[in-house]
């Protein structure tokens, strides 16, 4: 099985949220959302919960997002 590409998304509004859903639904075998960051931390937490039923994807800084992403 090929390694999944880990994608971090900065900005969890309409565009970032749509992108995250497309990655999760249409590219599940090739890529995964690994981290989410937004200036409004609640947006990142909400999107994380929507994607995986947990707040495990939201991070608090760009270096943290980069560390979790390819």
């Amino acid at each position: 099985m090929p390694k999944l590409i880990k994608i971090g998304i900065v900005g969890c509004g309409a565009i970032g949220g749509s992108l995250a859903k497309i990655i999760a639904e249409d590219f599940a075998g090739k890529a995964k959302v690994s981290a989410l960051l937004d200036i409004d931390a609640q947006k990142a937490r909400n999107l994380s919960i929507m994607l995986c039923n947990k707040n495990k994807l939201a991070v608090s800084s760009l270096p943290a997002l980069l560390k979790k992403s390819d």
Side-chain angles (χ1 to χ4, degrees), residues 3-70:
K3 180 182 172 194
L4 295 177
I5 298 170
K6 297 182 288 183
I7 299 173
I9 297 175
V10 177
C12 298
I15 295 171
S18 295
L19 181 60
K21 290 176 199 173
I22 290 168
I23 292 166
E25 294 170 3
D26 297 343
F27 296 94
K30 297 179 181 180
K32 69 177 183 174
V33 176
S34 62
L36 299 166
L37 177 66
D38 195 281
I39 195 165
D40 179 352
Q42 188 61 47
K43 285 184 181 181
R45 288 190 292 269
N46 290 344
L47 184 55
S48 177
I49 290 167
M50 187 187 71
L51 290 174
C52 64
N53 293 321
K54 296 179 186 175
N55 180 25
K56 69 177 190 173
L57 301 176
V59 296
S60 59
S61 68
L62 186 57
L65 180 131
L66 293 173
K67 187 174 182 178
K68 296 178 87 176
S69 305
D70 290 330

